[in-house]
Amino acid sequence: MGSSQTKQRSAETCQPQKLSGCPVIHKKAEEEVTDPKNQMPAIPNQNLSKYQEGKLSTDRVQSTILKPSTSSEETWSYPSPQMFYNALMRKGKAGDVREEDMETVVAVHNNMNELAWREVL
């Protein structure tokens, strides 16, 4: 194959795919109520995912980040590894995620949030 054909074929295969609609799998409104304070499910999903092979921790860690507009010193709760995994599945972003990595992923997520908010505040 000549170089002009190679360039043409490469350009063709590198074209972005046209997606039809939103990539997030939405549930019907009556199936999932959203908390308006954080746009997350009001009732956290701690259940095993459909194709999940092992059990993940459902323990949540309390953040040091204060919730806005509260009269007390109430702080956010970070998602459990199970909740985080379920969110990735729900959003269609779990393609290369390994269940055994979720504890570490959540720990990194939580640490990054804490450090970022220290900079902001």
Side-chain angles (χ1 to χ4, degrees):
M1 190 183 294
S3 95
S4 65
Q5 287 178 324
T6 303
K7 286 180 185 175
Q8 184 180 10
R9 178 162 291 167
S10 295
E12 288 171 5
T13 57
C14 292
Q15 295 298 318
Q17 294 180 349
K18 292 185 180 182
L19 300 175
S20 59
C22 180
V24 176
I25 301 165
H26 296 279
K27 292 186 177 187
K28 294 179 185 171
E30 65 269 12
E31 292 180 46
E32 185 175 279
V33 177
T34 304
D35 183 342
K37 291 181 269 181
N38 61 4
Q39 298 305 309
M40 296 299 293
I43 302 170
N45 181 0
Q46 295 274 34
N47 300 321
L48 266 62
S49 228
K50 185 175 182 178
Y51 300 107
Q52 191 174 335
E53 294 177 11
K55 265 185 114 174
L56 295 173
S57 171
T58 57
D59 294 337
R60 299 180 75 179
V61 172
Q62 202 64 32
S63 169
T64 63
I65 303 163
L66 293 174
K67 287 185 175 183
S69 306
T70 59
S71 58
S72 66
E73 295 291 308
E74 188 179 7
T75 60
W76 295 102
S77 295
Y78 284 118
S80 69
Q82 183 65 59
M83 290 168 65
F84 203 100
Y85 183 80
N86 289 343
L88 292 172
M89 295 295 285
R90 182 179 70 245
K91 295 174 183 181
K93 298 191 181 257
D96 61 348
V97 172
R98 297 181 338 171
E99 294 172 28
E100 59 268 21
D101 294 337
M102 291 313 301
E103 291 278 344
T104 303
V105 169
V106 170
V108 169
H109 167 271
N110 297 355
N111 188 48
M112 291 302 296
N113 273 319
E114 293 293 324
L115 293 173
W117 275 103
R118 280 188 204 142
E119 292 293 320
V120 171
L121 302 174

